Amino acid sequence: MCVAQRPASPLSREDFPLDSATQLNVFLAGAERHAFRHAMLALRNEAAALDAVQEAMMRLASKYGGHSPDEWPPLFQRILQNVIRDMLRRQKVRQLWVSMWSGFGGRDEDDAGDPLDTLEAADGSNLDLSPERLVGREQVLALIEAELARLPQRQREAFLMRYWEDMSTAETAAAMGCSEGSVKTHCSRATHTLAAALAKKGISL
């Protein structure tokens, strides 16, 4: 698979002295194809892989462009790994937020169960979506993110730690200085608040 046409390097002459910029451009041009293949294996999506490579190149240029060329290969690999990890985590969380709602329709608002306890492990089957369904998903996610900002602080903290940071209930409880039961209660109430807010906007869960 050929890498889509994007600038091989995000640098300009103004960023670094010409010799440094030229060396970094040469390095990035040589590393781009291998980095793209690596990102494709992890992300299984060409557009996402291109975005990951471009983001890694930008970070290397902006933060480490003035370093010795000998330092660039390990730095670039570390940055690329971090970018891919962040993208996979966001992908997982978005899939979770969209899929979790089906389990809440008949539950009591004060139910202290952790929503994650009701979910089966993701097998990737929901990745094959039509463009129309993808657009709908993105719209719902935008509404969820807006409503998250309106949650009480403790609910928002618990929700984000559990579902965005992928922390366990015990880890979240330790970070928040509360019991695991309190974490589950915060998560449950946050989820029901989000579900109710979406329902008011005509989104059936």
Side-chain angles (χ1 to χ4, degrees):
M1 179 182 295
C2 295
V3 179
Q5 294 299 316
R6 289 192 183 182
S9 170
L11 296 179
S12 65
R13 292 189 179 187
E14 290 75 18
D15 294 315
F16 303 102
L18 180 59
D19 55 347
S20 297
T22 300
Q23 289 183 62
L24 188 52
N25 281 330
V26 170
F27 166 73
L28 291 174
E32 182 180 24
R33 186 172 298 276
H34 182 269
F36 174 76
R37 290 174 179 169
H38 185 92
M40 271 293 293
L41 286 173
L43 299 170
R44 296 185 296 171
N45 179 281
E46 183 174 357
L50 286 168
D51 287 342
V53 173
Q54 188 72 6
E55 176 66 21
M57 292 166 66
M58 290 292 294
R59 291 187 189 181
L60 182 71
S62 63
K63 296 183 178 180
Y64 305 104
H67 285 219
S68 166
D70 292 338
E71 299 180 61
W72 292 336
L75 284 170
F76 182 65
Q77 287 303 316
R78 187 185 312 158
I79 292 169
L80 181 63
Q81 288 295 324
N82 288 337
V83 171
I84 290 173
R85 189 177 299 112
D86 287 344
M87 293 181 73
L88 286 171
R89 183 177 63 180
R90 289 195 297 270
Q91 200 176 76
K92 175 182 177 181
V93 170
R94 289 189 171 196
Q95 292 166 12
L96 172 64
W97 285 3
V98 170
S99 63
M100 68 162 54
W101 306 120
S102 61
F104 299 115
R107 298 180 66 179
D108 190 292
E109 185 174 349
D110 292 326
D111 185 350
D114 190 329
L116 280 181
D117 294 339
T118 68
L119 297 177
E120 295 180 358
D123 59 2
S125 60
N126 58 344
L127 294 179
D128 186 18
L129 299 176
S130 68
E132 293 78 10
R133 291 186 65 188
L134 286 171
V135 169
R137 168 188 283 189
E138 292 302 317
Q139 291 172 342
V140 171
L141 289 171
L143 290 172
I144 291 173
E145 290 170 358
E147 294 300 330
L148 270 172
R150 300 186 177 96
L151 287 175
Q153 181 179 349
R154 298 289 280 178
Q155 290 184 24
R156 183 171 61 251
E157 287 177 353
F159 191 92
L160 291 176
M161 286 184 193
R162 285 290 284 123
Y163 309 138
W164 181 257
E165 300 297 335
D166 201 21
M167 295 168 63
S168 68
T169 303
E171 290 170 336
T172 302
M176 295 181 64
C178 64
S179 68
E180 293 186 32
S182 293
V183 169
K184 292 186 177 184
T185 297
H186 288 316
C187 287
S188 179
R189 290 178 177 174
T191 301
H192 282 92
T193 298
L194 291 172
L198 292 176
K200 290 180 180 178
K201 292 177 169 61
I203 299 174
S204 177
L205 304 179

